[in-house]
Amino acid sequence: MASNLVKAIRIEQHGGPEVLKLVEVEVPPPASNEVTIEQHAAGLNFIDIYFRTGLYPHPLPHGLGFEGAGVVTAVGADVKHLKNGDRVAYGQSPIGAYAKARNVPAAQVVKVPNGIGFDEAAALMLKGLTVQYLFRQTYRLQGGETILFHAAAGGVGLIACQWAKALGVKLIGTVSSPEKAELARANGAWETIDYSRENVAERVLELTGGKKVPVVYDGVGKDTWETSLDCIEPRGLMVSFGNASGPVAGVNLAVLNQKGSLYVTRPSLGVHINTLEKLQAASKEVFDLVLKKKIKVRIDQRYSLEQAGEAQTALASRKTTGATVLMLD
């Protein structure tokens, strides 16, 4: 495939959604280890906002987005597991998924089974793989546990609710409204706590008969850190996997002692799923649950590439439920 120009989002400075610019970029032929993907959909995630604002630094100018799905249109010389015409998706590429076409390292790309749409795959990869590493690797749930998961009605949260139910795990989900509570329960949450109206730590104590939980999964960060620690049983694990409310700073290790010799980890997807083989295995686990109807991908917001700024604004204001995707057709 010869070089061609495609529409993509770029930022030249950090700031609000107004820094997102729709431009034409050149897509060169793929390098030996890459494939060119004509994209049908890209997923939106909080991490995209962190890169836009500069919370996560990256040399400017750059694109945005890490998650997409589409069709392979060109294959690098050393790529063995993909060919032209394959339906594919990825969840942790180099930055720049908000684009109509792009080159992606083939080791980060997996085939998407028939029966899963491009929009579903784009909404699923990063979020589904996040739940996979959290539930099957960081703290391997066996079934029968009671756990706390923050922001249970969000894109990652709704997949977590369904996956927990499939494992026989009682997931207590925190939410910010009665509507979100209903949504989380409809997706398999065992119980919900509305943090805008209820004391989370007290409710966890009640729901667990005074025992607390062995693990808390917290993608919210600063606003929930103290509360999360108060919900964990002695020698339990605090999994801080995101900063939707801002980063956790100034952690006092003595507090972990006072609250019961707690463990803390700040994991990332890239370290847990760092080879093609691990990616294929984790993706298969996610895709199989979707094909078996154990996980339904809920896409509640769809935007065009031109509306990327609007989409990020909605995500940041916590007005969204489920997943948000950019439709690139």
PDB file of all heavy atoms in Angstrom, residues 282-295:
ATOM      1  N   ALA A 282      -4.869 -13.652  27.033  1.00  0.00           N
ATOM      2  CA  ALA A 282      -5.786 -12.778  27.786  1.00  0.00           C
ATOM      3  C   ALA A 282      -6.965 -12.348  26.914  1.00  0.00           C
ATOM      4  O   ALA A 282      -8.116 -12.345  27.364  1.00  0.00           O
ATOM      5  CB  ALA A 282      -5.032 -11.554  28.307  1.00  0.00           C
ATOM      6  N   SER A 283      -6.688 -12.019  25.656  1.00  0.00           N
ATOM      7  CA  SER A 283      -7.757 -11.607  24.731  1.00  0.00           C
ATOM      8  C   SER A 283      -8.736 -12.747  24.510  1.00  0.00           C
ATOM      9  O   SER A 283      -9.948 -12.537  24.450  1.00  0.00           O
ATOM     10  CB  SER A 283      -7.177 -11.180  23.380  1.00  0.00           C
ATOM     11  OG  SER A 283      -6.291 -10.110  23.532  1.00  0.00           O
ATOM     12  N   LYS A 284      -8.206 -13.961  24.369  1.00  0.00           N
ATOM     13  CA  LYS A 284      -9.080 -15.123  24.166  1.00  0.00           C
ATOM     14  C   LYS A 284     -10.028 -15.294  25.345  1.00  0.00           C
ATOM     15  O   LYS A 284     -11.221 -15.567  25.171  1.00  0.00           O
ATOM     16  CB  LYS A 284      -8.234 -16.396  23.976  1.00  0.00           C
ATOM     17  CG  LYS A 284      -9.090 -17.630  23.656  1.00  0.00           C
ATOM     18  CD  LYS A 284      -8.232 -18.864  23.463  1.00  0.00           C
ATOM     19  CE  LYS A 284      -9.031 -20.071  22.999  1.00  0.00           C
ATOM     20  NZ  LYS A 284     -10.315 -20.273  23.657  1.00  0.00           N
ATOM     21  N   GLU A 285      -9.508 -15.089  26.544  1.00  0.00           N
ATOM     22  CA  GLU A 285     -10.351 -15.205  27.745  1.00  0.00           C
ATOM     23  C   GLU A 285     -11.478 -14.168  27.703  1.00  0.00           C
ATOM     24  O   GLU A 285     -12.638 -14.470  28.000  1.00  0.00           O
ATOM     25  CB  GLU A 285      -9.485 -15.021  29.000  1.00  0.00           C
ATOM     26  CG  GLU A 285     -10.133 -15.572  30.247  1.00  0.00           C
ATOM     27  CD  GLU A 285      -9.209 -15.588  31.471  1.00  0.00           C
ATOM     28  OE1 GLU A 285      -7.992 -15.346  31.342  1.00  0.00           O
ATOM     29  OE2 GLU A 285      -9.740 -15.844  32.561  1.00  0.00           O
ATOM     30  N   VAL A 286     -11.137 -12.940  27.289  1.00  0.00           N
ATOM     31  CA  VAL A 286     -12.142 -11.875  27.181  1.00  0.00           C
ATOM     32  C   VAL A 286     -13.153 -12.201  26.079  1.00  0.00           C
ATOM     33  O   VAL A 286     -14.375 -12.166  26.294  1.00  0.00           O
ATOM     34  CB  VAL A 286     -11.468 -10.510  26.890  1.00  0.00           C
ATOM     35  CG1 VAL A 286     -12.518  -9.434  26.656  1.00  0.00           C
ATOM     36  CG2 VAL A 286     -10.548 -10.099  28.041  1.00  0.00           C
ATOM     37  N   PHE A 287     -12.655 -12.527  24.883  1.00  0.00           N
ATOM     38  CA  PHE A 287     -13.540 -12.795  23.743  1.00  0.00           C
ATOM     39  C   PHE A 287     -14.469 -13.989  24.013  1.00  0.00           C
ATOM     40  O   PHE A 287     -15.640 -13.972  23.644  1.00  0.00           O
ATOM     41  CB  PHE A 287     -12.724 -13.054  22.471  1.00  0.00           C
ATOM     42  CG  PHE A 287     -11.997 -11.857  21.921  1.00  0.00           C
ATOM     43  CD1 PHE A 287     -10.788 -11.994  21.248  1.00  0.00           C
ATOM     44  CD2 PHE A 287     -12.513 -10.567  22.066  1.00  0.00           C
ATOM     45  CE1 PHE A 287     -10.116 -10.893  20.726  1.00  0.00           C
ATOM     46  CE2 PHE A 287     -11.846  -9.451  21.553  1.00  0.00           C
ATOM     47  CZ  PHE A 287     -10.639  -9.619  20.881  1.00  0.00           C
ATOM     48  N   ASP A 288     -13.922 -15.029  24.665  1.00  0.00           N
ATOM     49  CA  ASP A 288     -14.742 -16.212  24.961  1.00  0.00           C
ATOM     50  C   ASP A 288     -15.917 -15.867  25.865  1.00  0.00           C
ATOM     51  O   ASP A 288     -17.031 -16.369  25.672  1.00  0.00           O
ATOM     52  CB  ASP A 288     -13.892 -17.317  25.611  1.00  0.00           C
ATOM     53  CG  ASP A 288     -12.998 -18.041  24.608  1.00  0.00           C
ATOM     54  OD1 ASP A 288     -13.146 -17.793  23.385  1.00  0.00           O
ATOM     55  OD2 ASP A 288     -12.143 -18.844  25.038  1.00  0.00           O
ATOM     56  N   LEU A 289     -15.679 -15.011  26.861  1.00  0.00           N
ATOM     57  CA  LEU A 289     -16.766 -14.599  27.761  1.00  0.00           C
ATOM     58  C   LEU A 289     -17.829 -13.807  27.010  1.00  0.00           C
ATOM     59  O   LEU A 289     -19.023 -13.913  27.299  1.00  0.00           O
ATOM     60  CB  LEU A 289     -16.210 -13.773  28.931  1.00  0.00           C
ATOM     61  CG  LEU A 289     -15.477 -14.572  30.015  1.00  0.00           C
ATOM     62  CD1 LEU A 289     -14.657 -13.658  30.898  1.00  0.00           C
ATOM     63  CD2 LEU A 289     -16.456 -15.376  30.867  1.00  0.00           C
ATOM     64  N   VAL A 290     -17.401 -13.016  26.018  1.00  0.00           N
ATOM     65  CA  VAL A 290     -18.360 -12.262  25.199  1.00  0.00           C
ATOM     66  C   VAL A 290     -19.161 -13.217  24.319  1.00  0.00           C
ATOM     67  O   VAL A 290     -20.392 -13.133  24.242  1.00  0.00           O
ATOM     68  CB  VAL A 290     -17.647 -11.198  24.337  1.00  0.00           C
ATOM     69  CG1 VAL A 290     -18.628 -10.506  23.406  1.00  0.00           C
ATOM     70  CG2 VAL A 290     -16.958 -10.164  25.235  1.00  0.00           C
ATOM     71  N   LEU A 291     -18.458 -14.145  23.660  1.00  0.00           N
ATOM     72  CA  LEU A 291     -19.142 -15.086  22.756  1.00  0.00           C
ATOM     73  C   LEU A 291     -20.093 -16.006  23.526  1.00  0.00           C
ATOM     74  O   LEU A 291     -21.114 -16.424  22.995  1.00  0.00           O
ATOM     75  CB  LEU A 291     -18.115 -15.903  21.967  1.00  0.00           C
ATOM     76  CG  LEU A 291     -17.277 -15.083  20.961  1.00  0.00           C
ATOM     77  CD1 LEU A 291     -16.146 -15.931  20.390  1.00  0.00           C
ATOM     78  CD2 LEU A 291     -18.140 -14.519  19.840  1.00  0.00           C
ATOM     79  N   LYS A 292     -19.767 -16.301  24.786  1.00  0.00           N
ATOM     80  CA  LYS A 292     -20.649 -17.135  25.630  1.00  0.00           C
ATOM     81  C   LYS A 292     -21.748 -16.313  26.290  1.00  0.00           C
ATOM     82  O   LYS A 292     -22.479 -16.823  27.138  1.00  0.00           O
ATOM     83  CB  LYS A 292     -19.834 -17.829  26.718  1.00  0.00           C
ATOM     84  CG  LYS A 292     -18.946 -18.945  26.224  1.00  0.00           C
ATOM     85  CD  LYS A 292     -18.143 -19.498  27.402  1.00  0.00           C
ATOM     86  CE  LYS A 292     -17.142 -20.534  26.928  1.00  0.00           C
ATOM     87  NZ  LYS A 292     -16.017 -20.666  27.881  1.00  0.00           N
ATOM     88  N   LYS A 293     -21.798 -15.032  25.969  1.00  0.00           N
ATOM     89  CA  LYS A 293     -22.816 -14.112  26.512  1.00  0.00           C
ATOM     90  C   LYS A 293     -22.683 -13.890  28.024  1.00  0.00           C
ATOM     91  O   LYS A 293     -23.625 -13.491  28.689  1.00  0.00           O
ATOM     92  CB  LYS A 293     -24.249 -14.601  26.200  1.00  0.00           C
ATOM     93  CG  LYS A 293     -24.523 -14.909  24.729  1.00  0.00           C
ATOM     94  CD  LYS A 293     -24.866 -13.654  23.962  1.00  0.00           C
ATOM     95  CE  LYS A 293     -25.415 -13.933  22.570  1.00  0.00           C
ATOM     96  NZ  LYS A 293     -24.378 -14.124  21.550  1.00  0.00           N
ATOM     97  N   LYS A 294     -21.484 -14.151  28.555  1.00  0.00           N
ATOM     98  CA  LYS A 294     -21.236 -13.876  29.979  1.00  0.00           C
ATOM     99  C   LYS A 294     -20.914 -12.388  30.171  1.00  0.00           C
ATOM    100  O   LYS A 294     -21.118 -11.835  31.237  1.00  0.00           O
ATOM    101  CB  LYS A 294     -20.067 -14.731  30.506  1.00  0.00           C
ATOM    102  CG  LYS A 294     -20.343 -16.235  30.497  1.00  0.00           C
ATOM    103  CD  LYS A 294     -21.174 -16.638  31.695  1.00  0.00           C
ATOM    104  CE  LYS A 294     -21.557 -18.103  31.702  1.00  0.00           C
ATOM    105  NZ  LYS A 294     -20.455 -18.995  32.034  1.00  0.00           N
ATOM    106  N   ILE A 295     -20.320 -11.786  29.124  1.00  0.00           N
ATOM    107  CA  ILE A 295     -20.044 -10.347  29.141  1.00  0.00           C
ATOM    108  C   ILE A 295     -20.688  -9.717  27.919  1.00  0.00           C
ATOM    109  O   ILE A 295     -20.476 -10.173  26.792  1.00  0.00           O
ATOM    110  CB  ILE A 295     -18.530 -10.058  29.138  1.00  0.00           C
ATOM    111  CG1 ILE A 295     -17.899 -10.441  30.481  1.00  0.00           C
ATOM    112  CG2 ILE A 295     -18.254  -8.569  28.847  1.00  0.00           C
ATOM    113  CD1 ILE A 295     -16.397 -10.255  30.544  1.00  0.00           C
TER     114      ILE A 295
END
